[in-house]
Amino acid sequence: MSLSDLFDGDPFVPAQQARIEPIQQRSTARLSGLLDAAAIVVDEVGFDRITTAMVAERAGASIGTVYRYYPDRVAVLQALRERTVLRFRNRFAEQLKTSAPKHWSEAVDVAITAFVDLYRSEPGFRIMHFSDRQGVPVAEDPDTGYFARRVAGMMVEAFGLHGGDELSFRLEVAVEMGDSILSRAFRSDPQGDERFIEECRAVTHDYLAGYYGPSVR
Amino acid sequence: MSLSDLFDGDPFVPAQQARIEPIQQRSTARLSGLLDAAAIVVDEVGFDRITTAMVAERAGASIGTVYRYYPDRVAVLQALRERTVLRFRNRFAEQLKTSAPKHWSEAVDVAITAFVDLYRSEPGFRIMHFSDRQGVPVAEDPDTGYFARRVAGMMVEAFGLHGGDELSFRLEVAVEMGDSILSRAFRSDPQGDERFIEECRAVTHDYLAGYYGPSVR
DNA sequence: GCTCACCGAGCGGAACTCGATCATGGGAGT
DNA sequence: ACTCCCATGATCGAGTTCCGCTCGGTGAGC
């Protein structure tokens, strides 16, 4: 999983990955069961060793059922990615509510903490971000940075900062940097190398603080 | 291709990827021809859509020839990655010689420029870094950051700075950050979004300058 | 002429299809 | 309300296609 995913598409509305939308009740359970299985298999055998047969067996389904919902193998992984992004957003929003940060820098920490938590608890999270850099061909949407602009709006609203294009840009860069450092933190340590995690917080704060000026540090 | 690759293994000594070392002259041309073909195909169809048949056809060779030199499909991509890393190193070293920087920050700029040049000119460069994050299984070498330490040594030698573990760590973080921002710069723009490239330079400089103190800015 | 390089039909396995079969749940009939 | 019926969605899994990879035979270098 990569934080840069947050800039693709409309947040809180998962992309249409399934071949045919499920109608009956049981099939939504099937669908999430398939993704659960995919996450576990990805953790076990790695990203490119995964086979549709493994996913099907792990989910207690047949091959045909997998293709009932997904056009091909990579679509399954993309859907898993979508779902995990959604889970991050939900967790972030939730923890923003409970912690009610008074300052934007606290919100940054909340985001990092949520991300780290998912790295540690969510199956497949560590592995998944390998897929993301190959430009997702879905809907040539030039509205990259949508989520960043959204966050910018949140910041402006919540903390009375001045927003605009420059803020969007800065936030996108900050997210990109933070993602790469966290990814490094978990590359060889399942619990995450604390040194890198701390540096991620520091770098992100400093970078954004530099924009707002040292007064907000 | 990812800058983080620079931390793997011994620089300037490409890993033994080929199944059997070629002996006759023509075969070395074949070998590089195969990698050229692989680079082009990767650019055309993406990283996981690539097939050995495509590579063979594009290189004007047969399937068997591919497997004459590489044990399997991923080995071809790894070899391509190796070669591109080597090319980056060569270009970086070369441009370091010609520009003869007096200050470490100029060396950083040289590295970034070399990287950007390869992004623009080297086929497959934009796509290739997808493979790297899944732990390379070759030789469980805990000596991650080897290249960073090497660069640290260069810095100490060339610019009289104090090195050590902290510098290695900082350099690794800087490389990771810079890579992610450059990757973003080229994600949707084949020529690279100048805004992100400039920000990459700024961020890297600021981050490292913060370590050495504002005096060197 | 001896070895290295190359070829490409063929093998095994994984991705993916499709018609048969089962399950569901909305509504007709009572 | 309650049951039962059946249209339609969901599932299955044997079969097909495609792809990674092997290997014995043929051609090119030294």
Side-chain angles (χ1 to χ4, degrees):
Chain A
M1 185 54 45
S2 164
L3 274 173
S4 12
D5 300 337
L6 299 172
F7 298 103
D8 298 331
D10 190 16
F12 301 100
V13 176
Q16 166 80 5
Q17 297 290 348
R19 171 172 282 183
I20 293 173
E21 202 71 11
I23 294 177
Q24 295 181 5
Q25 190 108 44
R26 57 172 169 165
S27 45
T28 69
R30 255 287 187 244
L31 228 163
S32 69
L34 285 174
L35 294 187
D36 293 341
I40 293 172
V41 172
V42 158
D43 258 351
E44 282 180 357
V45 307
F47 193 79
D48 40 344
R49 300 291 182 197
I50 192 174
T51 71
T52 51
M54 292 180 193
V55 175
E57 187 190 359
R58 199 41 158 262
S62 76
I63 294 288
T65 299
V66 175
Y67 288 93
R68 165 72 179 73
Y69 293 108
Y70 299 103
D72 60 10
R73 203 185 57 110
V74 301
V76 178
L77 280 321
Q78 281 182 357
L80 178 56
R81 197 161 137 275
E82 288 292 329
R83 191 182 69 166
T84 314
V85 168
L86 188 64
R87 287 189 176 174
F88 169 72
R89 285 171 175 153
N90 288 341
R91 178 172 298 213
F92 181 37
E94 185 184 320
Q95 294 189 351
L96 266 187
K97 252 181 219 160
T98 62
S99 69
K102 298 298 177 208
H103 193 275
W104 62 266
S105 67
E106 297 172 48
V108 169
D109 270 330
V110 168
I112 293 177
T113 300
F115 209 65
V116 167
D117 285 351
L118 285 179
Y119 253 115
R120 288 176 177 157
S121 64
E122 187 83 4
F125 199 88
R126 268 172 16 99
I127 312 291
M128 249 184 320
H129 46 111
F130 311 143
S131 72
D132 57 358
R133 296 208 181 175
Q134 30 204 343
V136 186
V138 292
E140 292 295 346
D141 190 359
D143 195 12
T144 312
Y146 181 87
F147 183 77
R149 243 168 272 139
R150 205 165 205 271
V151 174
M154 283 173 50
M155 292 290 189
V156 171
E157 251 185 81
F159 307 111
L161 302 168
H162 62 285
D165 184 56
E166 178 68 15
L167 178 58
S168 281
F169 176 74
R170 282 275 176 148
L171 283 171
E172 185 169 351
V173 170
V175 168
E176 212 71 61
M177 292 188 325
D179 174 37
S180 68
I181 300 175
L182 285 185
S183 160
R184 173 62 188 86
F186 285 88
R187 195 168 298 160
S188 51
D189 183 348
Q191 289 305 304
D193 185 329
E194 275 298 335
R195 199 178 181 194
F196 283 100
I197 295 175
E198 274 314 304
E199 194 71 0
C200 174
R201 295 188 191 276
V203 163
T204 313
H205 285 174
D206 286 357
Y207 175 69
L208 291 175
Y211 177 59
Y212 293 124
S215 65
V216 286
R217 288 182 73 176
Chain B
M1 184 54 46
S2 166
L3 276 174
S4 6
D5 299 337
L6 300 173
F7 298 103
D8 296 332
D10 190 16
F12 300 101
V13 177
Q16 166 79 4
Q17 296 290 347
R19 170 173 285 183
I20 293 173
E21 203 71 11
I23 293 177
Q24 297 180 6
Q25 189 108 42
R26 57 170 171 167
S27 45
T28 69
R30 257 282 187 245
L31 229 162
S32 69
L34 285 175
L35 294 188
D36 292 340
I40 293 173
V41 172
V42 158
D43 258 351
E44 282 179 357
V45 307
F47 192 79
D48 39 340
R49 301 290 186 195
I50 193 174
T51 71
T52 52
M54 291 180 194
V55 175
E57 187 189 0
R58 185 58 72 126
S62 76
I63 295 289
T65 301
V66 175
Y67 288 94
R68 166 71 179 72
Y69 293 108
Y70 299 103
D72 59 11
R73 202 188 59 122
V74 302
V76 177
L77 280 321
Q78 281 181 358
L80 178 58
R81 198 161 138 275
E82 289 291 330
R83 191 181 71 165
T84 314
V85 168
L86 188 64
R87 287 187 175 173
F88 169 73
R89 284 170 176 154
N90 288 341
R91 177 171 297 215
F92 182 37
E94 185 184 320
Q95 295 190 349
L96 266 187
K97 253 182 218 159
T98 63
S99 69
K102 299 296 179 208
H103 192 276
W104 64 265
S105 69
E106 298 172 47
V108 169
D109 270 331
V110 168
I112 292 176
T113 300
F115 209 66
V116 166
D117 286 350
L118 286 178
Y119 252 116
R120 287 175 177 158
S121 63
E122 187 83 3
F125 199 88
R126 272 171 14 97
I127 313 290
M128 243 183 329
H129 45 119
F130 312 143
S131 72
D132 58 356
R133 296 209 183 172
Q134 30 203 341
V136 186
V138 293
E140 289 298 346
D141 190 358
D143 195 11
T144 312
Y146 179 86
F147 183 78
R149 243 167 270 139
R150 204 164 205 271
V151 174
M154 283 172 50
M155 292 289 188
V156 171
E157 252 185 81
F159 307 109
L161 302 168
H162 61 286
D165 183 57
E166 179 68 15
L167 178 57
S168 280
F169 176 74
R170 281 275 177 150
L171 282 172
E172 184 168 353
V173 170
V175 167
E176 211 71 61
M177 291 188 325
D179 176 36
S180 68
I181 299 175
L182 285 185
S183 160
R184 173 62 188 85
F186 284 88
R187 196 167 298 160
S188 52
D189 184 348
Q191 289 305 304
D193 186 330
E194 276 298 337
R195 199 177 182 193
F196 282 102
I197 295 175
E198 274 314 303
E199 194 70 0
C200 175
R201 295 188 191 276
V203 163
T204 314
H205 285 173
D206 285 356
Y207 176 68
L208 292 174
Y211 177 59
Y212 293 124
S215 63
V216 286
R217 289 182 73 175

